[in-house]
Amino acid sequence: MCQEIMPALFRLKIPLPDSPLKYLNSYVIKGPDRSLIIDTGLNRRECLEAMQAGLRTIGIDLKVSDIFITHLHADHFGLVTKLATDTSQVYFSRPEKELMESWEGFGTMIKYAGQNGFPENELQAALDKHPGAKYGSEWIPDMTLLEDGDGIEVGDYHFKCVATPGHTMGHICLYEPDKEIMIAGDHILIDITPNIQCWSDSQNPLKHYLASLEKVYGLKVNLTLPGHRRLIRDHRARIKELKHHHSERLAEVLSILNWGGMNAFQVASRMTWDIDSESWDQFPVAQKWFATGEAISHLRYLEEEGQLVRDASGPITLYAVVK
Ligand SMILES: [Zn+2]
């Protein structure tokens, strides 16, 4: 599906088979000389075909197109090497590229998940189903690295990069102040809440995420173009809902821990999730994995706020409420 949202700015819905996200919104700006594609889809046939069909409809030639990617997740980044040509600029965030380069495989993550109570026999199954493992890009192309405040020009559009760490640590939104639009990647979504996961005891992504929501709240935006689902008219109303969601989640985690110290996997199993399964045991293993990462981001936040203590002295890390 191809829709012209504003003059020369198109939205392509790239299907994400088997994903609750349903599709990725790729935005394409057709410029007089060069065009810009924002976010790409998974590295799989269904995505490539939808992208090629959409570009054909708009009349975009990949030989004179550049690509901007909001963050490193495979549904945004995966298809980049199938689209970039010898002359394409691939714009990407500096911290995000450093993250990709320092990536040592899932080993560290598996170990950390085990320390957080994730049953080891389920770990490999979770990762086999991980979209990043199956449909990521085969290699990392040469990229033009961006930082907060950098500009990207295409046709009549003058975008400014807004660093919005949280969903990933190098996530970037594109803001067009004259047209009052923001291309939001997975920073702000509607109908679903962006997943904020933590897989390290030294990070606090939820804290960054809440600060990034605040940063974007201050921008004058008339239309937000998210990476999935519907376009957002009132970004401030949605930001208020997202902040409310996380404050409820934090309260829920605290009330769960009032029953006694627990590991993150146990906390996740007691949190409420909007997943079509009768019970935690019946959750698909990939969903348990996402849920545990999300539980850890809330636990880490509460720990740094001084409301929880973490005991990592044994093989399994336990969290308890500060009395
Ligand atoms: Zn994402």
Side-chain angles (χ1 to χ4, degrees), residues 71 73 75-76 167 186:
H71 66 292
H73 285 157
D75 50 336
H76 300 255
H167 177 67
D186 286 359

Side-chain angles (χ1 to χ4, degrees), residues 119-134:
E120 276 178 36
N121 54 354
E122 293 190 33
L123 281 174
Q124 203 52 53
L127 291 168
D128 289 345
K129 292 193 174 135
H130 196 288
K134 262 164 103 179

Side-chain angles (χ1 to χ4, degrees), residues 1-12:
M1 196 201 87
C2 168
Q3 168 196 13
E4 188 165 13
I5 296 166
M6 292 179 75
L9 192 164
F10 300 83
R11 171 209 210 181
L12 300 182

Side-chain angles (χ1 to χ4, degrees), residues 278-314:
E278 298 246 319
S279 68
W280 172 257
D281 290 336
Q282 288 171 19
F283 271 29
V285 64
Q287 299 302 324
K288 285 185 186 169
W289 173 263
F290 290 133
T292 303
E294 183 99 14
I296 297 171
S297 73
H298 288 78
L299 291 164
R300 285 282 304 122
Y301 181 91
L302 290 165
E303 183 199 346
E304 288 206 4
E305 294 294 299
Q307 301 195 61
L308 295 182
V309 278
R310 172 167 49 94
D311 176 3
S313 59

